Amino acid sequence: MTCHPLESESIEILREAVAGAAKPVMLYSIGKDSSVMLHLARKAFYPATPPFPLLHVDTTWKFKEMYLHRARMVAESGLTLITHTNAAGLAAGITPFTHGSSHYTDVMKTEALKQALDLHGFDVVFGGARRDEETSRAKERIFSIRSSGHRWDPRRQRPELWQTYNTRIRAGESLRVFPLSNWTEPDIWRYIQQEQIPVVPLYFAKERPVVRRSGAWIQVDDERFPLAPGEAPQLRMVRFRTLGCYPLTGALESEATTLEAILDETLRARTSERQGRLIDSDQVGSMEKKKWEGYF
Amino acid sequence: MGRVFLMGQEQLGPGVPLPEPSRERPPLRFITCGSVDDGKSTLIGRLLHESKAIFEDHAAALASDSQRYGTQGGELDFALLVDGLQAEREQGITIDVAYRFFATDKGRFIVADTPGHEQYTRNMATGASTADLAILLVDARKGLLVQTRRHTRIVAMMGIRHLVLAVNKMDLVTFDEGQFLDIVAAFRQFSRPFSFTSIQAIPLDARDGDNVALPSARTPWYSGPTLLDHLEALDLGPTNALAAFRMPVQWVNRAGPDFRGLCGRVAQGTVRQGDPVQILPSGATSRVREIVVWRGSQELAGVGESITLTLEDELDVGRGDLIVSLETPPTVADQFEARLLWMGEQPLVAGRPYLFKLHSKEVPGTVSTIRHLEDVDTGAHLAARSMGLNEIGIVNLSLQQPIGFEPYSSNRTLGGFIMIDKLTCETVGAGMLEFALRRAANLHWQTLEVGMQARAELKHQTPRCIWFTGLSGAGKSTLANLLEQRLHSEGRHTYLLDGDNVRLGLNRDLGFTEADRVENIRRVAEVAKLMVDAGLIVMVAFISPYRSERRMARGLFSAGEFIEVFVDTPIEVCERRDPKGLYAKARRGELKNFTGIDSGYEAPESAEVHLRPATDSPESCVELILHKLG
C-alpha cells in the first residue's frame, strides 16, 4: 500500500472542483508542475479520461522541445487541447525582445489567458501554482475566487476550512483551483521520480547553445534570437529549473543528467526556482500585482 | 542544524532528502497565534531560517524589504517573509493566513501564520481547521492577555489537541525563571477546562533564536526540548485509522457502460476488498468488489487515501452519500446541536435558509434556534437572537435531508461544516456538529390514507399556492380578493391568507425586524402548504420582501404548485395611495423597519406572473393570473 498524502489531497481537490463546476479546464503550461498536475488528474478520474480539456496559453515563444512534449502528452492522455494566442498582440509585433518582460507578459500571457477564458466561458480553471513559490501565492486559497474581469482581491478571500471547499460562484465569477498548493519543489521532483512522469528534456543537463543576457544563460532556441554583431552562441552544459518563454528563462550550469541528480541539486539549491524567471522581480510585490490583474 | 549564517557556504539548501517518499507520515501542520506584538511572524521567520528554508534570493529580497518596510530599525525583519501582501507590509500586520513549508532531517512541516486581530478571527479559524498543533505566543513581560485567552478558546474549539506555550522575548525579562514559571502556572490553570492532550511550555527569544533550534545558554534552568526538537518528536496519538470505515462519495465515475466507481477520500478507518458496507442515508447494503487505483487495484485502503470503489450490487449512490462499515454505521440525522463561528458580514438570522456543506454533501437548511452565544474572552453564555461577524454560539440546525455524520470532536472531516449564503455564494459560517437532536430514523412523515390527490379530486380542482409579493399599498390584497371572488364564483375551493389578518392572530408575537419577518413568512408558508395539501387553492398576500424567504416558501411545494405573483407598483404610486396612512407614519419616523423606506425590498427575478396595477386595470391583472392557472 502506498499512501502519498499530498497525492491524495490533490486528487480530492480535483474531484471536488469538477463536481462543482459547469465548465472546467486545466491550464497546461508544459512544465514540471503541469506534468504532475496532469498526472494527478488522470489518476483522479481513472479509468475515465479527465472530464475537461487542457488550455495552453501560447505566446509562440516557448522552447521547441516544449511543443514536442505537449504533442506527446496530449496524444498519451487523450485529453483535448485548446491553445490560445493573443492575436492582437502578435499582430502588433510584441515580443520579449522588443517590449520588455513586463509589458510582454501582460499582453501575451495575462491578456491572452483572460481572452481564452472569456471566449470559452470556463468557470473553474486548474492551475499548477504552489504556495512555496512566492509570498503572495503563500497567501492564496486552494479554491480562489475571481470576480468578473478575472481580478483577485486578496482582502476578499473566502475563509477555507478543513477540506470543505465552497465551489459556489455567482454569474460572471470564476474559480482558480490549485491542486498543488501544498507541494514543494522537492516534492514535485520526488513524485516525478516515483511515478516516472515524463517531463520536457530541457530539465536535464545537456550541451546547449547559449548566450549571456542580464547575468543569465539564455538558450538560442531559434533564428528569432537577435544576436549582437559578431556574437555566436557558445555550447555549455546547462539545464533549466523552470520553463517558460525561452528568451525570458535562464539556464543554470549543471551536470545533472538524471532525476536523482536533479533532486539532489534541488535539495542543495540555495536560490529559489523563480529566480530563473525574469518576470517576477521587476518590482516589489510584482506577482501580487499580476495576480490582481488576472495572471495565474 | 543550528548554523545561522544566511549566506554560509557550508550549509545545505532548503529541505533534506527523505528516505522513502511514498511511505512517509504526512507533514505536521501547525499554526502560530498570540497577541499582535508577541512576535508570531518573527518566530516563523526564525524557524524557516534555522531549517535552511530561506533561499538566497529571498534573503536578499528580505534585506531590501527590511530597509523599506521593516520594523527592526533596518535589521532583518523576519515578519516580512510571511507578510507577503502589500497591504500587510505597509500596515505592518498580518491580515490573512500564509502557509509556509520547511523540513529538517526528522520531519516536514506546514505552518500557517494566522492573524491575531479580532476582526480576522475567521482567517485564524481557517488556519486552525487543518492544524495538528498550535504555538501560542506570550510576551514574557505581559503574560496572559485577553487575546491569549481568546486564541486558546478558538484553538480548542477548532479541535487542536496539542499546544506549545511559547513564552517569547525572554531577553526583555533578563531570562528570569520565576517570570516564566508564573506565566506557565497561570496558563495551566486557565487551560484546564479545554483538556489539551499536550502542553509544552518553552522560554524563547525568537529574534535571536534562543531555544528555537539550539538550547540557549541564557536559560540554564530550562531542561526541556527546544521548539524544533519538540515539533520533530511530537506524537499526535491515535489517529482515525483504527476507527470504523467511513468515506464520503465525491464523484461517481462512469468510465463505461459497465463501470460505476464511487470516488472519495477515506475519512476514517480502512476498507478491504470484500468488506460489507452500507450506504447512508439510504441504508442500502453491499460488498466492496474492487478498490480501483491508477492502472490497477489494491486490496486495502486506509485513512487519508483517495480511492475509487466498486460494489457488488447496483445501488443508487450519489455524491454526498457516505459509504460506511456495515457493522458500526454512524448516526444519521437532520437536526443537530452545533457550535458555530459566524463569518458573514450580514448577521445570521435564525430561520433563514442557507446552504450547508458537510464533507461532500450540500444540503439546504436553517439555524432553527440560537441557544446562546459564547463570549470568546471569558466563555460566558450570552442570550442572543442573531449572530454577528466573528461571534461564536451554540445553535440548533435543521437540514432538509438527513445526513450521516460523526461528532466534530471525533472526526473533523465528518463533523465540520460550512454555511453558504445562497445569493452571494459567500462562506458565512463554520460549524462543528456536536450531536444529533433527533435521529432521522425516528422521524417519518405520517403517511395518511387519504392524500392530497384524493382531496383535490373530490373538489375537481388542482390545488395551488398563489403568492402575491410587493410593497405595502401595491394592491396585493385588492387583487387577491378579486381573484378569490372569481374562483369562488366558478365553484373553486379557496382561501386567502392576508398579511395583516395573520399578524393579528397566528403571528401576533412577531414584530418587523429582519428575524421576525423571516419567521412571519416561514409560518405562513407552512400554513399555506397544509391548505394546499387539504386540496385548496390558497392565495397569500404578504409583502414578503426577501428573495431567500420566497424561495424557501417555494421549496415547500412541488413543481408547478407555487405561483409567484409580483405586484409591481412603483413606490411613488404606493406612497401617494397610502391606503392605511403607513407611509406617512414611516416618513415621520413613527414606524420603524418599513419596507421601501428604511427596510429593503428585493424584487422577484423570475416570478410566474408580473403585474403592473399602476397602468393595467385590476380585472386585466386577474385575467393574467387566471390564464397562468389554466
Side-chain angles (χ1 to χ4, degrees):
Chain A
M1 184 175 74
T2 57
C3 177
H4 189 295
L6 286 169
E7 175 193 80
S8 281
E9 180 183 80
S10 300
I11 289 176
E12 179 180 37
I13 292 164
L14 285 156
R15 288 169 173 171
E16 200 63 17
V18 167
K23 199 169 177 189
V25 70
M26 178 171 281
L27 201 69
Y28 179 67
S29 66
I30 321 176
K32 62 184 189 307
D33 301 308
S34 281
S35 301
V36 166
M37 183 165 64
L38 173 59
H39 183 75
L40 289 164
R42 294 172 73 193
K43 280 192 144 183
F45 297 98
Y46 177 85
T49 304
F52 46 77
L54 300 175
L55 170 64
H56 180 223
V57 174
D58 189 357
T59 59
T60 73
W61 288 96
K62 302 297 170 190
F63 292 86
K64 284 196 293 284
E65 288 184 69
M66 291 174 73
Y67 292 108
L68 290 174
H69 186 76
R70 184 182 79 182
R72 174 187 167 188
M73 291 317 294
V74 167
E76 188 188 311
S77 69
L79 268 75
T80 304
L81 173 74
I82 298 169
T83 58
H84 183 85
T85 303
N86 184 349
L90 205 60
I94 291 175
T95 77
F97 294 115
T98 51
H99 287 74
S101 68
S102 177
H103 182 64
Y104 163 78
T105 302
D106 186 46
V107 174
M108 297 308 284
K109 293 176 91 171
T110 309
E111 273 313 309
L113 172 64
K114 291 198 273 191
Q115 286 171 357
L117 298 181
D118 288 339
L119 179 67
H120 297 279
F122 295 119
D123 62 338
V124 168
V125 189
F126 291 109
R130 310 188 319 264
R131 284 172 172 159
D132 75 329
E133 286 177 80
E134 197 270 337
T135 47
S136 71
R137 292 219 197 277
K139 293 265 170 183
E140 191 163 8
R141 303 284 188 258
I142 294 174
F143 283 64
S144 184
I145 194 152
R146 293 294 191 280
S147 60
S148 50
H150 310 285
R151 291 182 68 85
W152 180 59
D153 184 349
R155 281 167 307 196
R156 292 197 49 85
Q157 299 202 79
R158 290 173 174 176
E160 190 167 85
L161 290 103
W162 309 291
Q163 280 80 38
T164 312
Y165 304 109
N166 179 355
T167 60
R168 297 255 162 178
I169 49 171
R170 287 184 294 181
E173 293 176 335
S174 60
L175 284 173
R176 304 270 172 101
V177 179
F178 303 105
L180 304 180
S181 287
N182 289 328
W183 294 58
T184 62
E185 192 188 6
D187 290 331
I188 293 287
W189 282 116
R190 278 194 205 103
Y191 191 68
I192 287 170
Q193 185 181 30
Q194 176 193 317
E195 300 281 303
Q196 299 179 349
I197 300 170
V199 291
V200 185
L202 292 162
Y203 286 113
F204 299 93
K206 191 182 151 186
E207 282 204 330
R208 296 189 166 92
V210 291
V211 294
R212 201 74 179 158
R213 289 285 186 278
S214 312
W217 290 114
I218 303 293
Q219 169 157 315
V220 180
D221 200 57
D222 59 36
E223 68 296 338
R224 291 178 293 179
F225 197 102
L227 293 167
E231 187 185 29
Q234 38 179 313
L235 278 181
R236 287 204 172 243
M237 193 74 175
V238 293
R239 69 178 199 88
F240 294 86
R241 198 165 161 200
T242 77
L243 292 177
C245 298
Y246 84 79
L248 296 177
T249 309
L252 52 103
E253 294 192 68
S254 166
E255 301 291 326
T257 55
T258 63
L259 282 172
E260 290 73 20
I262 289 174
L263 185 53
D264 190 56
E265 213 172 80
T266 305
L267 291 167
R268 288 170 190 282
R270 299 194 11 254
T271 56
S272 76
E273 64 188 305
R274 295 202 78 84
Q275 208 204 14
R277 302 262 186 119
L278 302 183
I279 64 164
D280 287 352
S281 50
D282 297 342
Q283 43 191 314
V284 175
S286 65
M287 179 62 85
E288 182 183 346
K289 195 166 293 169
K290 287 190 180 68
K291 288 167 70 64
W292 274 84
E293 289 158 3
Y295 186 66
F296 246 87
Chain B
M1 195 203 312
R3 292 203 190 90
V4 290
F5 318 111
L6 260 181
M7 307 290 180
Q9 288 298 308
E10 62 278 80
Q11 69 188 30
L12 281 179
V16 171
L18 287 156
E20 278 287 329
S22 60
R23 285 167 188 80
E24 70 214 23
R25 74 172 191 177
L28 180 78
R29 289 174 179 244
F30 66 93
I31 63 168
T32 51
C33 45
S35 231
V36 180
D37 293 319
D38 291 347
K40 293 187 299 292
S41 302
T42 307
L43 177 64
I44 293 181
R46 174 56 65 178
L47 280 170
L48 296 177
H49 177 59
E50 298 281 353
S51 61
K52 321 289 185 298
I54 302 175
F55 289 115
E56 274 179 14
D57 49 322
H58 290 167
L62 175 63
S64 97
D65 289 355
S66 297
Q67 292 289 339
R68 182 161 171 191
Y69 301 107
T71 55
Q72 304 293 325
E75 298 280 298
L76 289 187
D77 183 354
F78 285 118
L80 294 172
L81 274 178
V82 275
D83 290 341
L85 301 175
Q86 284 299 90
E88 294 179 316
R89 290 155 171 254
E90 280 154 17
Q91 296 170 42
I93 57 163
T94 307
I95 293 174
D96 213 329
V97 196
Y99 297 90
R100 286 272 152 180
F101 306 80
F102 65 96
T104 68
D105 48 2
K106 295 202 189 105
R108 301 199 300 157
F109 306 92
I110 301 178
V111 49
D113 182 29
T114 59
H117 283 77
E118 186 170 2
Q119 67 191 104
Y120 300 121
T121 297
R122 55 181 175 177
N123 299 356
M124 181 179 165
T126 292
S129 71
T130 51
D132 308 305
L133 173 142
I135 299 179
L136 188 65
L137 275 118
V138 176
D139 185 325
R141 294 168 301 174
K142 299 178 189 160
L144 308 189
L145 300 176
V146 169
Q147 291 275 46
T148 322
R149 298 176 209 277
R150 206 162 62 79
H151 290 171
T152 307
R153 213 171 284 285
I154 294 168
V155 158
M157 172 180 90
M158 297 310 296
I160 295 177
R161 307 304 311 142
H162 301 272
L163 212 65
V164 170
L165 180 70
V167 182
N168 194 24
K169 305 193 182 179
M170 285 299 292
D171 55 326
L172 299 179
V173 295
T174 61
F175 294 93
D176 179 46
E177 181 181 15
Q179 182 78 3
F180 174 73
L181 292 178
D182 285 349
I183 292 172
V184 174
F187 185 77
R188 289 203 185 274
Q189 172 81 19
F190 162 70
S191 64
R192 193 157 297 133
F194 304 113
S195 317
F196 289 106
T197 308
S198 76
I199 300 176
Q200 176 70 48
I202 306 177
L204 288 181
D205 179 11
R207 222 168 48 125
D208 293 336
D210 293 81
N211 290 327
V212 175
L214 289 181
S216 168
R218 299 194 281 186
T219 54
W221 42 266
Y222 174 73
S223 58
T226 65
L227 179 58
L228 260 182
D229 286 343
H230 181 66
L231 295 178
E232 286 172 345
L234 184 75
D235 177 10
L236 288 177
T239 65
N240 285 320
L242 300 175
F245 171 67
R246 317 244 179 279
M247 184 182 92
V249 177
Q250 275 190 287
W251 176 258
V252 180
N253 188 333
R254 292 186 180 86
D258 302 321
F259 187 86
R260 208 177 139 76
L262 307 172
C263 307
R265 192 172 184 195
V266 180
Q268 187 175 297
T270 53
V271 63
R272 267 173 205 285
Q273 222 174 302
D275 274 357
V277 289
Q278 188 171 25
I279 310 300
L280 296 178
S282 78
T285 60
S286 186
R287 274 175 193 282
V288 175
R289 173 185 292 176
E290 203 180 3
I291 302 171
V292 180
V293 290
W294 175 242
R295 292 176 175 168
S297 66
Q298 64 187 39
E299 178 127 348
L300 174 81
V303 64
E305 273 187 86
S306 283
I307 53 170
T308 299
L309 295 179
T310 58
L311 302 179
E312 291 290 352
D313 306 276
E314 266 198 37
L315 300 179
D316 180 19
V317 188
R319 173 170 160 80
D321 287 348
L322 214 52
I323 306 179
V324 303
S325 114
L326 183 63
E327 294 90 36
T328 40
T331 309
V332 174
D334 58 2
Q335 314 229 0
F336 305 89
E337 182 168 312
R339 177 172 271 115
L340 182 67
L341 165 64
W342 191 249
M343 309 190 292
E345 305 285 343
Q346 303 298 320
L348 164 73
V349 178
R352 169 163 287 186
Y354 293 94
L355 207 56
F356 289 73
K357 187 170 184 193
L358 179 88
H359 47 82
S360 56
K361 178 78 175 173
E362 278 183 9
V363 54
T366 62
V367 168
S368 49
T369 317
I370 299 170
R371 299 175 71 97
H372 59 78
L373 297 188
E374 285 181 349
D375 184 312
V376 193
D377 299 331
T378 64
H381 293 183
L382 311 165
R385 293 195 69 182
S386 70
M387 279 177 77
L389 179 63
N390 291 325
E391 287 186 326
I392 293 169
I394 300 290
V395 300
N396 288 355
L397 305 182
S398 173
L399 305 185
Q400 281 185 14
Q401 295 159 35
I403 50 167
F405 81 105
E406 293 286 345
Y408 185 78
S409 55
S410 71
N411 190 311
R412 288 192 196 181
T413 308
L414 300 176
F417 65 88
I418 59 170
M419 287 173 69
I420 301 170
D421 184 293
K422 289 182 164 185
L423 287 178
T424 65
C425 298
E426 291 296 320
T427 305
V428 289
M432 289 132 272
L433 296 180
E434 304 214 317
F435 51 84
L437 290 170
R438 261 187 307 183
R439 286 167 192 242
N442 306 331
L443 232 186
H444 291 295
W445 175 255
Q446 188 66 41
T447 311
L448 303 173
E449 291 301 319
V450 179
M452 178 174 97
Q453 182 104 24
R455 297 185 200 102
E457 275 170 12
L458 202 62
K459 297 184 175 68
H460 304 290
Q461 66 183 29
T462 311
R464 288 273 174 62
C465 174
I466 304 164
W467 191 283
F468 293 79
T469 173
L471 295 169
S472 176
K476 298 181 298 297
S477 299
T478 310
L479 292 172
N481 235 313
L482 210 56
L483 176 65
E484 187 172 31
Q485 287 172 28
R486 278 290 296 274
L487 291 169
H488 187 79
S489 69
E490 289 170 14
R492 305 287 176 219
H493 298 253
T494 58
Y495 195 82
L496 170 54
L497 288 162
D498 182 82
D500 283 353
N501 297 351
V502 173
R503 275 191 175 276
L504 289 171
L506 176 67
N507 290 355
R508 67 195 301 169
D509 57 325
L510 300 177
F512 290 88
T513 63
E514 196 173 349
D516 281 356
R517 283 174 183 271
V518 172
E519 176 62 12
N520 184 38
I521 300 303
R522 189 192 69 79
R523 287 187 201 171
V524 80
E526 290 287 354
V527 170
K529 167 75 184 159
L530 290 173
M531 288 183 164
V532 165
D533 196 57
L536 300 181
I537 297 171
V538 187
M539 278 140 284
V540 178
F542 272 61
I543 298 174
S544 43
Y546 307 124
R547 275 185 209 123
S548 53
E549 276 68 58
R550 295 194 300 266
R551 191 177 307 142
M552 178 263 291
R554 183 185 290 272
L556 294 175
F557 297 90
S558 313
E561 241 171 44
F562 185 88
I563 294 168
E564 188 172 353
V565 178
F566 179 25
V567 185
D568 185 6
T569 308
I571 185 153
E572 307 77 52
V573 179
C574 296
E575 191 163 358
R576 205 175 326 122
R577 285 186 192 157
D578 204 4
K580 297 166 195 162
L582 298 176
Y583 283 92
K585 267 182 146 174
R587 288 288 183 204
R588 289 197 301 270
E590 293 164 20
L591 205 54
K592 289 285 170 211
N593 299 319
F594 193 75
T595 303
I597 305 294
D598 57 347
S599 183
Y601 178 80
E602 299 168 357
E605 283 166 337
S606 52
E608 277 80 1
V609 184
H610 190 154
L611 304 178
R612 294 178 181 80
T615 51
D616 299 342
S617 72
E619 290 71 23
S620 61
C621 287
V622 167
E623 282 305 325
L624 279 174
I625 304 173
L626 287 168
H627 179 74
K628 191 76 195 175
L629 290 175

